[in-house]
Amino acid sequence: PQTKKKDQTERKDMNALAATNRNFKLASRLLGLDSKLEKSLLIPFREIKVECTIPKDDGTLASFVGFRVQHDNARGPMKGGIRYHPEVEPDEVNALAQLMTWKTAVANIPYGGAKGGIGCDPSKLSISELERLTRVFTQKIHDLIGIHTDVPAPDMGTGPQTMAWILDEYSKFHGYSPAVVTGKPIDLGGSLGRDAATGRGVMFATEALLNEHGKSISGQRFVIQGFGNVGSWAAKLISEQGGKIVAVSDITGAIKNKDGIDIESLLNYTKEHRGVKGFDGAHPIDANSILVEDCDILIPAALGGVINRENANEIKAKFIIEAANHPTDPDADEILSKKGVVILPDIYANSGGVTVSYFEWVQNIQGFMWEEEKVNDELKTYMNRGFKNMKEMCKTHSCDLRMGAFTLGVNRVARATVLRGWGA
């Protein structure tokens, strides 16, 4: 079973990379980029692989492999999360770094793309072991990251505390540098509103899409797969706008209430019980059926590759908002397109997090912190402008929203590359 799971993971990672490359090449053709420029945009700027050996609490030594892929810096410093997960693989990191390049360009913030991680299971490491591991990793890459070079952020298995350790370790070499990472604790220069940013961005993106179709969030039925940071914030904010959340799932299970789940009660329940399983305001359902539940809008906010050729035909939603990275594979894209399902792509829909990370970086450089209301207002402006720009590319190239987003992002990076004289 373990080998089978590993094979599936490797296939998923390769699919993520293959799908990202495919979307890039389709966008490149629509834009008419020449082959040299296309190649230079696809090849990562730098790939880093380091060994991180730490003493464990019991005195034994343990070694872990850390990765950082820096994809592109034509438009500004590279930006991307660091994840701690047993299945961190070079191909997955590569795909996500490339996605960040296009995502930051779609959001029109002055960054390129990067991604990193350490192959470890954080649940099996103590807090002191995680701190030692983070510090060793930072020691190995400190001269390759920086305020104007590469700015890491939290991702799966990491959080504000991890960023605080990176900031402290980096500052030992370069002096106090709060702008070197984003997603930090507020006490160390983190931004107000950052915790909710990706979920709030998903809500603004959903609002923009529905407005385009003459609808509003109020009265629409939503299903949310994944009730972590992104899914729970999206659920809370959508329900506050009058949206009805009829089913949610997380790692513990899935629940449904056709009359709408009381999200405030569910949030309180999940804080205490660490999952949605057992919540008495809804009845349990098979977690595998969450994506095909009857609803108006489906929000996959968990893992990549969950919507595929096996389940695409059974999906009943009219709209899919990709809050996760790469949740829909190319086969499913084709099937859903034929069914008339509108998919709001990940590189636009979940860009709220990196946009508010940019606001945090700006505040750190200025040494001037914003009120939360300003952060949220600026995020709404960026999300609405991003949607408008994406729709303009759809009209120009007669394409769907995914290609609209990719042509928008790739075109901006290509223009910057040529202007800097790197295109030959």
Side-chain angles (χ1 to χ4, degrees):
Q2 197 62 38
T3 307
K4 187 179 177 187
K5 187 181 175 189
K6 188 172 187 294
D7 289 345
Q8 285 170 341
T9 303
E10 284 172 0
R11 279 201 302 276
K12 183 193 81 178
D13 295 344
M14 286 303 289
N15 287 343
L17 186 56
T20 306
N21 288 345
R22 173 182 172 274
N23 288 328
F24 163 76
K25 283 175 180 170
L26 287 170
S28 173
R29 266 181 229 128
L30 283 172
L31 293 163
L33 303 185
D34 70 50
S35 58
K36 283 182 185 173
L37 179 56
E38 185 180 288
K39 190 177 178 185
S40 77
L41 291 177
L42 205 52
I43 296 170
F45 170 78
R46 185 189 282 135
E47 295 184 43
I48 305 148
K49 182 179 178 183
V50 294
E51 182 190 26
C52 302
T53 303
I54 60 161
K56 294 193 78 180
D57 292 345
D58 62 6
T60 60
L61 290 179
S63 279
F64 304 90
V65 178
F67 301 97
R68 188 73 177 165
V69 173
Q70 297 172 329
H71 181 258
D72 191 276
N73 63 349
R75 298 182 68 256
M78 292 163 284
K79 186 88 187 78
I82 290 179
R83 60 175 51 183
Y84 288 1
H85 194 272
E87 290 158 0
V88 167
E89 295 281 344
D91 285 318
E92 180 192 31
V93 176
N94 218 312
L96 294 169
Q98 190 190 140
L99 275 176
M100 281 299 293
T101 296
W102 316 133
K103 186 185 294 185
T104 52
V106 168
N108 207 16
I109 52 179
Y111 284 144
K115 204 76 174 185
I118 299 176
C120 69
D121 185 345
S123 67
K124 292 183 179 167
L125 296 171
S126 69
I127 293 292
S128 57
E129 287 168 343
L130 284 168
E131 180 177 352
R132 287 195 287 275
L133 181 58
T134 303
R135 289 183 184 278
V136 168
F137 183 52
T138 308
Q139 288 162 20
K140 296 285 177 90
I141 67 165
H142 76 88
D143 54 347
L144 300 171
I145 62 172
I147 294 166
H148 301 294
T149 313
D150 178 3
V151 182
D155 201 288
M156 199 185 296
T158 60
Q161 180 60 73
T162 321
M163 297 305 107
W165 292 328
I166 294 173
L167 164 60
D168 184 66
E169 197 62 31
Y170 180 87
S171 296
K172 288 176 185 175
F173 297 94
H174 303 277
Y176 185 58
S177 312
V180 75
V181 287
T182 59
K184 301 179 293 294
I186 300 293
D187 291 338
L188 290 177
S191 176
L192 295 169
R194 176 62 188 87
D195 191 41
T198 310
R200 192 178 296 277
V202 166
M203 187 269 286
F204 288 145
T206 306
E207 200 171 48
L209 178 65
L210 291 174
N211 287 346
E212 180 79 12
H213 289 263
K215 300 173 188 290
S216 68
I217 285 175
S218 182
Q220 300 291 322
R221 296 169 305 137
F222 290 80
V223 165
I224 300 179
Q225 185 212 28
F227 205 67
N229 174 272
V230 179
S232 61
W233 272 108
K236 175 180 164 59
L237 296 165
I238 285 165
S239 67
E240 284 173 4
Q241 296 290 320
K244 191 190 285 188
I245 318 292
V246 295
V248 300
S249 71
D250 65 9
I251 200 163
T252 65
I255 56 170
K256 177 182 177 180
N257 182 339
K258 64 180 175 57
D259 298 320
I261 296 166
D262 181 337
I263 296 299
E264 274 303 322
S265 299
L266 180 60
L267 287 167
N268 292 331
Y269 179 87
T270 53
K271 270 181 202 157
E272 194 180 331
H273 298 87
R274 298 179 173 238
V276 302
K277 188 179 180 182
F279 178 65
D280 62 8
H283 64 267
I285 55 169
D286 179 3
N288 293 322
S289 75
I290 190 82
L291 297 166
V292 299
E293 287 295 330
D294 187 29
C295 65
D296 301 308
I297 297 149
L298 172 63
I299 303 181
L303 301 169
V306 293
I307 301 173
N308 47 51
R309 74 169 83 171
E310 278 80 38
N311 59 16
N313 273 315
E314 297 172 60
I315 285 174
K316 299 173 186 72
K318 302 173 191 75
F319 300 94
I320 295 174
I321 315 292
E322 294 188 332
N325 283 321
H326 185 62
T328 314
D329 75 17
D331 290 336
D333 243 348
E334 210 170 299
I335 294 164
L336 291 162
S337 178
K338 284 175 185 166
K339 284 176 66 176
V341 177
V342 178
I343 301 172
L344 199 57
D346 50 359
I347 61 169
Y348 164 70
N350 67 27
S351 62
V354 72
T355 302
V356 175
S357 278
Y358 163 61
F359 299 161
E360 181 178 330
W361 180 75
V362 166
Q363 291 170 76
N364 293 155
I365 288 170
Q366 289 180 326
F368 181 79
M369 305 312 286
W370 300 355
E371 295 297 328
E372 189 166 357
E373 188 181 356
K374 178 176 168 66
V375 173
N376 295 340
D377 287 347
E378 289 289 334
L379 175 59
K380 185 170 187 175
T381 300
Y382 273 75
M383 294 303 295
N384 287 343
R385 188 167 58 207
F387 185 81
K388 184 169 168 267
N389 293 339
M390 179 174 63
K391 285 295 293 182
E392 281 167 7
M393 292 303 269
C394 292
K395 284 174 192 162
T396 302
H397 298 287
S398 302
C399 59
D400 64 10
L401 289 167
R402 189 178 307 284
M403 272 304 105
F406 265 88
T407 51
L408 177 63
V410 172
N411 189 46
R412 281 178 173 158
V413 179
R415 280 211 312 261
T417 303
V418 171
L419 285 167
R420 292 184 71 160
W422 301 351

